Amino acid sequence: MDIPSSASPVDDARHPSDPAAVRPSAAVQAGWPERVDAGPHRVAYRHTVAAPAEELWAMLADPHRHHEVDGSGTVQATVVGPHRLAAGDRFTVAMRKFGVPYRMTNTVTEAEASRVIEWRHPAGHRWRWEFLDAGEGVTEVTETFDYSWARPAVRRAYELLRVPADNGRGIQSSLTRLAGRHL
């Protein structure tokens, strides 16, 4: 039986005259983030995004927009703080995990326009976004959950609770969501 070239392997069992046989079996995907070895007690992924570094940095340097790309499902739209973060700034984000609402106040530890934005969580870990201009309006974006800054007992608790793996999945989803905004 001849299968149209646009059919996916899942569609192989369908007859070519079936209209569903020529429909793609999945939506357009922005690609998948790749794991980056950032060293011990760090979880990092990189993804190519079809947008200039300046635009992406401006979005992530505005904590009022973090919920737009959050892949963990915990970040809410309610934020208190500036719309453009600089080193030393503090911002408070409404969060929700396991149905329980809470607020998190973070302190910006590094902010360099179009290159990096990083903030420290009260438990000591840091969230870092790096932007590398790859030319022609394309940017390599790396997001890192860096818990090397946390006390040893906190790091061990994170590992026992599988926080690094959970945050790794959230990072992959966040990067995919960011890239999907710029297809």
Side-chain angles (χ1 to χ4, degrees):
M1 152 173 43
D2 291 331
I3 302 292
S5 61
S6 62
S8 74
V10 172
D11 298 324
D12 285 350
R14 295 187 184 135
H15 189 275
S17 63
D18 178 1
V22 294
R23 259 193 320 250
S25 60
V28 174
Q29 172 61 35
W32 300 106
E34 71 176 278
R35 179 80 189 240
V36 175
D37 182 1
H41 309 297
R42 292 178 182 92
V43 178
Y45 284 85
R46 177 184 308 123
H47 202 10
T48 302
V49 181
E54 300 82 23
E55 178 183 333
L56 298 170
W57 184 87
M59 179 181 195
L60 275 301
D62 181 352
H64 298 265
R65 299 192 64 195
H66 288 179
H67 69 280
E68 295 176 30
V69 296
D70 170 48
S72 71
T74 61
V75 178
Q76 305 299 298
T78 304
V79 176
V80 175
H83 281 273
R84 182 170 177 153
L85 297 173
D89 285 347
R90 292 170 54 96
F91 63 98
T92 301
V93 181
M95 310 280 289
R96 180 179 295 273
K97 189 161 187 166
F98 306 120
V100 178
Y102 61 100
R103 296 191 177 284
M104 190 62 51
T105 300
N106 300 285
T107 304
V108 179
T109 53
E110 190 173 350
E112 185 179 339
S114 303
R115 296 202 7 93
V116 65
I117 187 75
E118 179 186 81
W119 55 88
R120 182 182 65 241
H121 181 278
H125 64 264
R126 298 180 184 205
W127 288 99
R128 181 178 184 89
W129 290 81
E130 296 173 274
F131 307 89
L132 177 63
D133 184 343
E136 299 184 25
V138 173
T139 305
E140 292 290 327
V141 180
T142 303
E143 183 182 2
T144 305
F145 166 65
D146 181 353
Y147 64 110
S148 67
W149 295 91
R151 293 186 321 259
V154 173
R155 287 196 309 259
R156 182 68 182 136
Y158 282 171
E159 290 165 355
L160 288 171
L161 295 170
R162 300 179 185 239
V163 171
D166 187 40
N167 285 341
R169 287 186 295 276
I171 289 170
Q172 291 175 74
S173 182
S174 293
L175 288 168
T176 301
R177 287 182 67 158
L178 181 64
R181 295 173 61 91
H182 300 281
L183 289 176

